[in-house]
Amino acid sequence: PEQFFGREVLLQWLLDLWTRLPLQPVAITGAKWTGKTSLLHYLNTVKFKELSDYRIVLAEFQDILLHKRDGILRHLLNELTIPLPQPLTLGNFIYAVGDNLQQPTIILLDDVDIALNASELDQEFWNGLRSLTNHVRGGKLTFLLTCEDAPKYTAHSKGQCSPFFNIFFQTKTLTTFETQEAEEFLTCYQVMLKRLPKPVV
């Protein structure tokens, strides 16, 4: 977290959206290597005082174990510390989360472009996530996802037409740093390099 840089305006925008119920779904779009994953890691590790009572969990679809339906459902339940239902079906997952979720919760889904290529994460799966948002009472559950383009267009290009991808009205696109941000970053980076121990020759 201490190496995360910039994005103050975006972070404040997210906090403003999430400090009241119902929690709003958010999509962060942008080309590769613009910092989408770094942003999600920061959100997942930093304890914001505004979100001190929240649960924030991260699922990274770079992990091939999450390309299986059982894998992603098991991962989310473990991160939420909710007992795994038996059998672990999509329907039982929805009931388990709906019946046990007490705190406001934000699920971060990174690299949804990759997930849309996984055969087991089909339209039924994404429809299940849409149903989940309705099943959790009080608007206490939401999603933040990252992809290169707007979610509904990304999903459509992969042959997925789930209504899950239509709920992301709140969207921001990450771009490279502005000139001032880049200059500040380089200054901070140079200071950090000077603090590193010198290699032993």
Side-chain angles (χ1 to χ4, degrees):
E2 64 275 7
Q3 295 179 354
F4 185 80
F5 185 86
R7 311 302 190 192
E8 289 90 353
V9 173
L10 175 59
L11 288 169
Q12 189 57 56
W13 177 74
L14 290 170
L15 291 175
D16 290 343
L17 279 179
W18 290 337
T19 49
R20 59 186 181 274
L21 299 179
L23 298 177
Q24 298 297 308
V26 175
I28 301 295
T29 65
K32 292 180 179 179
W33 312 114
T34 50
K36 301 186 296 296
T37 298
S38 295
L39 174 68
L40 266 58
H41 276 276
Y42 187 73
L43 290 169
N44 190 44
T45 54
V46 173
K47 305 303 178 186
F48 298 97
K49 65 180 187 301
E50 297 92 337
L51 307 179
S52 58
D53 297 328
Y54 286 46
R55 295 294 304 273
I56 300 178
V57 301
L58 172 63
E60 297 181 272
F61 288 113
Q62 290 282 356
D63 183 350
I64 62 171
L65 296 179
L66 303 189
H67 296 186
K68 300 290 186 180
R69 186 181 296 191
D70 179 89
I72 181 64
L73 298 183
R74 187 179 299 272
H75 172 79
L76 292 176
L77 288 170
N78 287 337
E79 290 294 306
L80 294 168
T81 61
I82 294 174
L84 272 64
Q86 295 298 331
L88 182 52
T89 63
L90 184 59
N92 286 343
F93 165 81
I94 293 170
Y95 283 119
V97 175
D99 294 343
N100 292 280
L101 199 68
Q102 302 298 324
Q103 299 167 269
T105 299
I106 302 163
I107 297 177
L108 311 175
L109 300 178
D110 192 33
D111 283 321
V112 167
D113 310 72
I114 296 174
L116 287 165
N117 289 324
S119 59
E120 289 194 19
L121 306 186
D122 53 12
Q123 186 164 324
E124 181 185 49
F125 169 77
W126 299 110
N127 288 348
L129 295 189
R130 180 68 180 92
S131 297
L132 179 61
T133 61
N134 295 329
H135 197 70
V136 175
R137 292 182 288 274
K140 292 186 298 184
L141 174 70
T142 197
F143 292 87
L144 182 154
L145 61 77
T146 68
C147 49
E148 291 189 37
D149 202 352
K152 62 181 180 181
Y153 298 129
T154 299
H156 184 74
S157 71
K158 305 286 187 179
Q160 301 274 16
C161 299
S162 171
F164 175 72
F165 297 104
N166 296 332
I167 65 176
F168 295 92
F169 300 110
Q170 304 289 351
T171 301
K172 291 288 184 182
T173 300
L174 279 191
T175 59
T176 53
F177 287 143
E178 300 291 341
T179 301
Q180 181 180 348
E181 287 179 316
E183 291 172 348
E184 291 174 357
F185 170 75
L186 289 173
T187 300
C188 291
Y189 184 68
Q190 289 167 350
V191 171
M192 184 182 71
L193 286 178
K194 289 178 182 177
R195 292 177 180 166
L196 292 175
K198 296 187 182 300
V200 177
V201 180

